[in-house]
Amino acid sequence: MENEKHTYIVRTGEVALKGMNKPYFEKVLLGRIKNALKDYKNVEAYRKEGLIFVKTPAEYPEEEVEHTILNVFGVASLSSAVETESDMEKIGEAAAEYMKKLIPQRNIKTFKVEAKRADKSFPVQSPEIASRIGGYVLKANDGQIRVDVHNPDCVLYVNVRHGHSYVFADKIRGFGGLPLGTNGRGLILLSGGIDSPVAAWMMAKRGMMIEAVHFHSYPYTSERAREKVYDLTGILAGYCGTIKVHSINLLSIQQAIGENCPEDEMTILSRRFMMMIAERVAKQNKCDMLITGESIGQVASQTVQGLVATDNAVDIPVMRPLIAMDKIDIIDRARKIGTYETSIEPYEDCCTVFLPKHPVTKPKLEKILESESKLDVEALIDEAMKTMETVSIGPDRI
């Protein structure tokens, strides 16, 4: 039919716990869903009784629409549903027809019905709704299927609401979290590695808008290394929307450190400069905090003492969402969100180019500050800031 629509039920999970602020979070989430579906024509999306409903023309592939909605932070789960009138006979007919199509597709032999009566004025209570709808399904599919309430091949859900009811068999989990834009703005120190893209993704999942700063040592690092970072940003933009990336050359700073400071302090001192520069960029772009992909003990600069030494360089808060995760967990998350394969492409970054043979692992802050005092810190930062190039990268990058 020309005007046939697919209906999707979106559940909000954590957003539903926001008390008096719930309408605000739901409104933002609805806006994010509409924005994600902006390339689809004739789409309806609206809030009703604690749920979000999306209706799309039938010609749009369900899996494609589901994937798009599920990538929106704040979506806890999603169901593709059949909508019908809140009338027992209509619901029964819709359920029977729905299962008739599903049985051969999934080789279903057993099923059970779970009913929820959100409309308490509906004259039939939930247990009886489930029993009667099960009867409709059995009658329409005589001999093909039987009821198993303990271990069914398929659970058929019936949700009876004011005016309309919904029949569906799947509750597909989303990433959950909070809608983008509900928790300020953060600046991620984005390298080309595995960790920092995951850290950015995790903070975005908590509702934070993301910008990025990337440090390179061109010509010691290649232009392709920077392109790799832009590719990673494009993948993140699929979840976060367009992201600004500020690219800054750190070479003159690293050379100054190499000429004036102990070799084993190169990594810590470079990291302090990155943090100080990132703080400037964050303040210029109204970011509330810095985000890094550091995890305790993963590399020499990420010992507790190393983190204390780098945090001392800035006044702005530093978020480290991966701090207690091990590498296997981080890699698993990177695979799940689609950044892993790009992250492991073999292009150097500014940290590896000037990596000392034996980096200090337990730096003493007073010794680091003494070494740093040999440098004209403000002049070096000013010079580095002049190299900054800013680009905006959207999901079309990928």
Side-chain angles (χ1 to χ4, degrees):
M1 293 176 61
E2 185 178 348
N3 295 322
E4 187 179 350
K5 295 269 190 177
H6 282 317
T7 299
Y8 303 89
I9 301 173
V10 179
R11 301 173 193 85
T12 58
E14 188 175 351
V15 170
L17 304 177
K18 290 300 178 181
M20 292 180 67
N21 291 322
K22 179 182 173 183
Y24 164 72
F25 281 86
E26 288 181 340
K27 182 179 178 180
V28 175
L29 178 56
L30 179 61
R32 293 295 175 191
I33 291 171
K34 287 180 177 179
N35 186 64
L37 296 169
K38 65 181 183 299
D39 293 334
Y40 297 84
K41 296 181 179 179
N42 300 317
V43 171
E44 299 176 59
Y46 55 90
R47 293 180 291 157
K48 186 178 180 182
E49 299 172 331
L51 295 174
I52 290 176
F53 293 88
V54 177
K55 295 182 179 180
T56 67
E59 64 263 25
Y60 294 132
E62 287 189 49
E63 287 188 8
E64 184 180 294
V65 174
E66 288 170 353
H67 177 76
T68 301
I69 297 172
L70 288 168
N71 275 358
V72 176
F73 293 127
V75 173
S77 69
L78 173 70
S79 297
S80 175
V82 172
E83 180 180 311
T84 186
E85 295 177 34
S86 290
D87 170 85
M88 279 305 303
E89 185 173 349
K90 295 289 187 182
I91 298 170
E93 291 172 355
E97 187 64 26
Y98 180 81
M99 288 298 291
K100 187 176 291 186
K101 295 177 181 178
L102 206 62
I103 288 168
Q105 290 176 8
R106 302 188 183 182
N107 193 28
I108 297 169
K109 302 298 183 186
T110 60
F111 82 108
K112 75 171 182 177
V113 179
E114 289 189 5
K116 180 178 180 180
R117 187 182 61 147
D119 176 9
K120 300 307 179 185
S121 67
F122 191 74
V124 185
Q125 295 187 351
S126 297
E128 188 180 349
I129 293 172
S131 176
R132 289 171 62 176
I133 297 305
Y136 275 96
V137 173
L138 288 171
K139 183 176 180 181
N141 298 278
D142 185 33
Q144 297 184 61
I145 195 169
R146 60 184 176 83
V147 173
D148 182 346
V149 296
H150 299 294
N151 189 32
D153 296 333
C154 172
V155 177
L156 181 66
Y157 299 95
V158 176
N159 191 331
V160 179
R161 307 183 76 81
H162 292 277
H164 294 89
S165 295
Y166 302 87
V167 176
F168 53 94
D170 299 304
K171 293 182 179 180
I172 310 169
R173 289 190 62 182
F175 290 117
L178 298 171
L180 278 169
T182 56
N183 262 325
R185 182 180 296 273
L187 181 73
I188 177 74
L189 279 72
L190 188 63
S191 72
I194 296 170
D195 302 335
S196 55
V198 176
W201 184 92
M202 290 180 69
M203 292 305 292
K205 182 185 171 186
R206 301 309 304 159
M208 181 166 283
M209 298 294 291
I210 299 297
E211 288 195 24
V213 59
H214 170 63
F215 297 98
H216 62 89
S217 301
Y218 185 82
Y220 286 86
T221 54
S222 66
E223 185 60 31
R224 185 62 190 91
R226 183 160 58 170
E227 288 295 313
K228 172 186 171 181
V229 170
Y230 292 163
D231 290 343
L232 286 168
T233 306
I235 296 170
L236 292 173
Y239 301 97
C240 305
T242 299
I243 298 173
K244 281 203 300 186
V245 183
H246 311 280
S247 183
I248 296 173
N249 195 321
L250 203 68
L251 179 58
S252 61
I253 290 174
Q254 291 172 307
Q255 289 173 331
I257 295 171
E259 292 168 3
N260 296 281
C261 304
E263 180 193 4
D264 64 348
E265 295 177 357
M266 169 63 79
T267 302
I268 291 294
L269 288 167
S270 296
R271 192 69 181 171
R272 282 177 58 86
F273 271 95
M274 290 182 197
M275 299 292 276
M276 288 185 279
I277 294 169
E279 183 177 39
R280 280 204 191 181
V281 175
K283 289 179 177 178
Q284 287 178 5
N285 290 275
K286 295 182 171 56
C287 293
D288 304 296
M289 57 188 59
L290 303 180
I291 307 165
T292 78
E294 291 161 315
S295 172
I296 287 182
Q298 190 175 132
V299 295
S301 65
Q302 295 179 22
T303 61
V304 170
Q305 295 87 346
L307 297 178
V308 168
T310 54
D311 274 9
N312 172 264
V314 297
D315 296 322
I316 194 170
V318 182
M319 296 291 108
R320 294 184 171 94
L322 311 186
I323 195 67
M325 294 176 68
D326 63 38
K327 196 67 175 185
I328 300 303
D329 293 334
I330 297 169
I331 288 172
D332 286 346
R333 183 61 60 88
R335 290 185 189 277
K336 185 175 182 180
I337 67 176
T339 56
Y340 179 75
E341 294 300 328
T342 302
S343 290
I344 61 173
E345 290 177 2
Y347 298 104
E348 66 291 314
D349 63 33
C350 64
C351 294
T352 58
V353 170
F354 290 90
L355 187 68
K357 291 181 180 179
H358 302 288
V360 60
T361 57
K362 295 182 179 180
K364 294 185 181 299
L365 180 58
E366 58 271 20
K367 193 169 184 298
I368 296 298
L369 293 174
E370 180 184 346
S371 297
E372 195 173 88
S373 69
K374 300 173 185 176
L375 305 169
D376 190 341
V377 173
E378 290 302 315
L380 286 168
I381 291 175
D382 288 342
E383 194 63 30
M385 289 293 291
K386 292 176 184 177
T387 72
M388 186 168 70
E389 299 176 29
T390 301
V391 296
S392 295
I393 296 177
D396 55 339
R397 169 96 185 176
I398 57 174

